């Protein structure tokens, strides 16, 4: 069983503030890392699939970086808005996706 | 935008009963998955399915579980004799490409909450 860890488990952010959180994964046999955003009562929605060491991807105010040598990825939210409130899941692609427990972000207006 | 649909959204069943969870993947997708999340735990892989056969399965996916794609559109998960510990949110997912190793993101359904009493 692959150990994919996310921290923190939850965080509260004031509207307009920026935040970031971490996903750590095994650094050996890396293929790809996925990030998903999961809003309550909805389906997890893909944000990024990251494959190369040093990759940085951006979607609006959300961006992610990847370090495969040390086995971590950061997700950043710039200028948080209430609609960013969700659980953010990372998943290590060992052909079946092994998920972390998620970071639940609550943005306070 | 096409989406993965799952029915029912909530299923309550008694221990020992059989349940079938249904999914309609996106129409041109070729690889299908079932995942589950027990309350408070991580999302766990159950099974992947391609070309009408199981591609991979986890240790959770024992003889009590089965999957099939009976008619080319539906993708079902059957639990033959449910246990209390089967209570979870079950997610279906799909992706378009053929390769076992793929960089395509998964497209998830909204899930079926299974409650076994």
């Amino acid at each position: 069983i692959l150990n994919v860890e996310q921290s923190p488990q939850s965080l509260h952010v004031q509207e307009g503030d920026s935040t970031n959180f971490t996903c750590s994964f095994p650094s050996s046999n890396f293929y790809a890392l996925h990030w998903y955003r999961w809003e309550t009562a909805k389906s997890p929605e893909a944000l990024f699939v990251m494959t190369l060491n040093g990759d940085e991807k951006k979607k609006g105010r959300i961006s992610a970086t990847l370090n495969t040598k040390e086995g971590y990825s950061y997700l950043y939210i710039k200028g948080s808005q209430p609609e960013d409130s969700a659980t953010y899941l990372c998943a290590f692609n060992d052909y079946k996706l092994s998920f972390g427990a998620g970071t639940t972000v609550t943005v306070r207006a | 935008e096409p989406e993965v649909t799952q029915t029912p959204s909530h299923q309550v069943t008694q221990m020992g009963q059989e349940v079938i969870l249904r999914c309609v993947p996106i129409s041109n997708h070729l690889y299908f998955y079932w995942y589950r999340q027990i309350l408070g735990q991580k999302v766990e892989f159950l099974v992947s399915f391609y070309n009408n056969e199981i591609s991979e399965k986890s240790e959770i996916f024992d003889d009590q579980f089965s999957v099939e794609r009976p008619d080319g559109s539906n993708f079902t998960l059957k639990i033959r004799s449910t246990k209390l510990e089967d209570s979870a949110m079950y997610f279906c997912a799909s992706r378009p490409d053929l390769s076992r190793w793929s960089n395509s993101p998964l497209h998830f359904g909204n899930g079926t909450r299974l409650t076994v009493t």
Side-chain angles (χ1 to χ4, degrees), chain B residues 1 6-7 9 58-59 65 83 97 109 117:
Chain B
E1 186 177 330
Q6 289 186 243
T7 54
S9 57
S58 71
E59 59 192 25
F65 290 86
K83 304 174 196 150
D97 43 4
T117 61

Side-chain angles (χ1 to χ4, degrees), chain B residues 60 63 66 79 100 108:
Chain B
I60 302 168
D63 292 345
S66 63
I79 310 175
R100 184 172 178 253
F108 285 88

Side-chain angles (χ1 to χ4, degrees), chain A residues 28-88:
Chain A
S28 59
N29 300 317
F30 179 84
Y31 186 76
L33 187 84
H34 294 220
W35 280 101
Y36 291 86
R37 169 195 160 91
W38 189 10
E39 290 181 70
T40 305
K42 294 187 178 180
S43 57
E45 175 194 352
L47 287 172
F48 307 114
V49 178
M50 308 186 76
T51 57
L52 297 175
N53 185 45
D55 245 358
E56 182 169 343
K57 297 207 170 182
K58 190 174 179 184
K59 188 173 185 177
R61 292 177 291 96
I62 301 177
S63 60
T65 60
L66 180 69
N67 183 324
T68 61
K69 294 188 189 311
E70 295 180 43
Y72 64 84
S73 176
Y74 288 121
L75 194 88
Y76 300 86
I77 304 175
K78 185 178 176 182
S80 304
Q81 298 297 308
E83 58 264 33
D84 296 328
S85 296
T87 295
Y88 292 83

Side-chain angles (χ1 to χ4, degrees), chain B residues 11 13-20 78-82:
Chain B
Q11 174 92 45
T13 190
Q14 287 193 322
M15 197 166 52
Q17 295 296 304
E18 175 182 287
V19 292
I20 298 176
K78 182 193 289 186
I79 310 175
R80 287 190 183 81
S81 177
T82 50

